[in-house]
Amino acid sequence: MSEPNVAVNAGAPPAKSRQPAKKAEPPRGTVAEWTVTILLLLFGTTTLVQAFVIPTGSMEDTLLIGDHLLVDKLAYAPAGPVSRYVLPYQQVRRGDIIVFRYPVDVQQTFVKRVVGVPGDRIRIVNKQVFLNGKPLEEPYKYHKTDYIDSYRDNFPGEPNVRLYEQAREMLEHHVVNGEVVVPPGHYFAMGDNRDSSLDSRYWGFVPRENIIGKPLIIYWSYETVTERLVGSTIGFDHLLDLVQNFFTKTRWRRTFKLIRAHEIADP
């Protein structure tokens, strides 16, 4: 027995709108980021924003050697009774890129990514980070080698290098059931270039009071080497290199690039 024919009512073609087509609007998050950045650039001083340069490759490929950053020093500042309604204060969150005073030597400034906040449990197994018992998806991380280091890539474990005192204290007092537990008022931070980063695995937690702010924008990026960026003054060879190669070594595509965090949800 054959099936009955079914008449399909395709309907009338949609009427063309007489209203002018609207241009695509940029995402609100991008607009807000640019608004804050422009305001800080126009009215900011060293109290509000501060310039930093990236001297090492520990945050590759997110931040490169020679990236010059403007850092928002208000982002994590304590909110006042009035300013809390005007300025974009926020809590330090997992996935944030932070600028902070190095716990071993507060005269130095480091840039890393927050992986653990107070109360989080962290361990690493064969380069895979586990956060509160679950594998952490990290599209930003970068591994230069396939080699598995017994401490760096299986953490916390028996150190195979000399650790700073803060890291030894962390391993002695803050490891429970094979996991590092982040204490109140502290954060666990690592570089995106996991195989070549001096981070919390080697010098312990970042105290909250050490955090200076968060990077806003790369205002200039110049291809250079670490040796020319370390130290308190710029050497003659770096100045000569700038004069000769400014246009060819400037990474124009990175200039005025906004720096965004990668939100890590609660496991």
Side-chain angles (χ1 to χ4, degrees), residues 2-248:
S2 61
E3 295 182 356
N5 294 325
V6 178
V8 178
N9 183 8
K16 294 182 179 180
S17 173
R18 295 183 181 179
Q19 297 179 353
K22 294 182 179 180
K23 294 182 179 180
E25 296 182 357
R28 288 189 177 183
T30 301
V31 173
E33 288 174 346
W34 271 111
T35 301
V36 172
T37 301
I38 292 171
L39 288 174
L40 290 174
L41 287 174
L42 289 175
F43 304 109
T45 64
T46 54
T47 304
L48 305 179
V49 294
Q50 190 169 347
F52 290 91
V53 61
I54 301 297
T56 73
S58 69
M59 281 295 291
E60 292 177 348
D61 285 337
T62 305
L63 299 173
L64 306 180
I65 297 173
D67 279 352
H68 290 66
L69 318 176
L70 287 180
V71 174
D72 178 6
K73 298 175 69 175
L74 286 177
Y76 305 124
V82 177
S83 60
R84 70 172 66 245
Y85 301 106
V86 180
L87 297 172
Y89 296 120
Q90 59 186 251
Q91 297 295 320
V92 180
R93 298 171 297 186
R94 302 185 197 95
D96 283 359
I97 299 174
I98 58 172
V99 177
F100 57 94
R101 290 182 290 274
Y102 181 32
V104 176
D105 178 5
V106 294
Q107 299 301 315
Q108 297 186 50
T109 304
F110 274 27
V111 181
K112 303 292 179 186
R113 189 183 297 273
V114 175
V115 176
V117 299
D120 280 345
R121 297 176 286 108
I122 296 169
R123 68 186 176 106
I124 304 174
V125 179
N126 294 336
K127 298 182 185 286
Q128 172 65 59
V129 175
F130 286 81
L131 178 65
N132 298 328
K134 296 182 179 180
L136 183 61
E137 185 177 345
E138 298 181 283
Y140 46 78
K141 74 174 180 178
Y142 172 52
H143 290 289
K144 282 190 173 182
T145 69
D146 295 327
Y147 167 72
I148 300 295
D149 183 85
S150 61
Y151 178 75
R152 179 194 68 195
D153 303 322
N154 286 283
F155 172 89
E158 186 65 29
N160 56 13
V161 294
R162 185 175 180 180
L163 302 179
Y164 290 99
E165 180 182 352
Q166 293 88 335
R168 295 196 300 269
E169 193 272 342
M170 172 183 67
L171 295 178
E172 183 178 353
H173 299 289
H174 298 283
V175 174
V176 179
N177 296 326
E179 298 174 307
V180 165
V181 181
V182 184
H186 293 76
Y187 298 86
F188 191 91
M190 290 195 287
D192 289 354
N193 184 359
R194 291 293 162 78
D195 298 339
S196 184
S197 174
L198 180 64
D199 51 39
S200 285
R201 292 170 290 184
Y202 302 97
W203 42 253
F205 303 112
V206 180
R208 176 63 180 84
E209 59 269 21
N210 283 36
I211 297 177
I212 297 171
K214 61 184 297 185
L216 275 176
I217 190 173
I218 300 171
Y219 67 88
W220 180 45
S221 182
Y222 188 78
E223 185 179 345
T224 186
V225 294
T226 296
E227 290 73 21
R228 290 181 174 176
L229 296 175
V230 296
S232 57
T233 58
I234 298 177
F236 175 77
D237 56 343
H238 186 50
L239 291 175
L240 181 62
D241 183 57
L242 285 172
V243 171
Q244 295 177 334
N245 303 296
F246 176 83
F247 291 101
T248 57

